[in-house]
Amino acid sequence: MTDDHEDYAAAGYTGTLEPGRRAALVVVDPVTAYIDRTCGLYAGVEEPVDRMRELTAEARAAGVHVAVTTMALSADGSNAGVFFRKVPALAAYLPGAPTGAFIEGLAPEPGDTLVQKQYPSAFFGTSLAAELVARGVDTLFIAGLSTSGCVRATATDAMQHGFVPIVVREAVGDRLPSVHEANLFDIAAKIGEVWPMDRVLAHWSVS
């Protein structure tokens, strides 16, 4: 995955994306590390987390498939555990780490898809793409933390797999408001759509 306009064009992006017939919700890495003020990641994002909970509940109620991603890192460096040397806070994602548990209300439920990633950025992955295609999904609504990294990477990679990615404004977050707004602008300009949550819920109610 790259961050280049030519690659977006090659993936079929013309500057305007429209939702298709069937959507899924992807909740990116909703682990307690993000709300643990001692962890040093994105503490202070309580409002977007609340919206993520609401959005996830509404998706399930509307029959929208939910996929939850989480990292699966190894401290021995056998996968992306090499990042521990650069970002010690990623130790939160080691199996059994207390800050690696799912945020209350955002854990995957029976019938949801759990996506175990091996990189800090939320690369979409061909296995999840294949599953969603088999379900007839053509549009992804994306929530999570943060817009600058995991959410933007998820949206970009989803588009390159042929999906229409739509980031839900209130259900994503960065700790710094100025960074948050700049990244939302970047997502809208380079990837496609950033929708307010009420528009998402209205779309689900008539789909």
Side-chain angles (χ1 to χ4, degrees):
M1 189 199 75
T2 64
D3 190 22
D4 186 282
H5 281 281
E6 292 181 2
D7 291 318
Y8 298 154
Y13 178 48
T14 62
T16 303
L17 296 171
E18 294 293 335
R21 296 184 307 277
R22 189 165 186 182
L25 171 67
V26 177
V27 184
V28 179
D29 297 350
V31 296
T32 55
Y34 286 110
I35 57 174
D36 179 358
R37 294 187 179 276
T38 69
C39 189
L41 284 174
Y42 291 90
V45 291
E46 290 82 1
E47 288 188 17
V49 167
D50 286 344
R51 299 292 78 74
M52 287 167 64
R53 290 191 184 101
E54 181 182 350
L55 188 71
T56 304
E58 293 284 353
R60 292 182 177 126
V64 174
H65 184 67
V66 175
V68 180
T69 78
T70 189
M71 283 189 264
L73 304 183
S74 298
D76 63 6
S78 60
N79 54 30
V82 66
F83 284 95
F84 287 140
R85 292 195 293 272
K86 297 181 180 179
V87 187
L90 289 179
Y93 292 95
L94 278 174
T99 50
F102 286 109
I103 295 170
E104 184 179 357
L106 292 173
E109 294 185 355
D112 295 347
T113 299
L114 174 62
V115 183
Q116 294 277 351
K117 302 185 286 86
Q118 292 188 332
Y119 295 92
S121 292
F123 294 106
F124 189 76
T126 54
S127 59
L128 177 58
E131 177 181 340
L132 294 177
V133 167
R135 291 176 175 270
V137 170
D138 52 20
T139 302
L140 294 182
F141 290 94
I142 302 170
L145 308 164
S146 69
T147 53
S148 57
C150 295
V151 171
R152 189 174 78 167
T154 300
T156 306
D157 210 15
M159 186 183 68
Q160 292 179 342
H161 279 87
F163 297 89
V164 173
I166 298 173
V167 173
V168 186
R169 173 177 287 275
E170 295 89 344
V172 298
D174 285 286
R175 180 168 46 181
L176 299 175
S178 60
V179 173
H180 179 67
E181 288 303 316
N183 288 322
L184 286 175
F185 177 85
D186 194 48
I187 288 170
K190 293 182 178 178
I191 298 168
E193 300 290 333
V194 176
W195 283 18
M197 190 163 161
D198 58 358
R199 183 179 177 187
V200 176
L201 298 182
H203 176 78
W204 287 348
S205 69
V206 299
S207 296

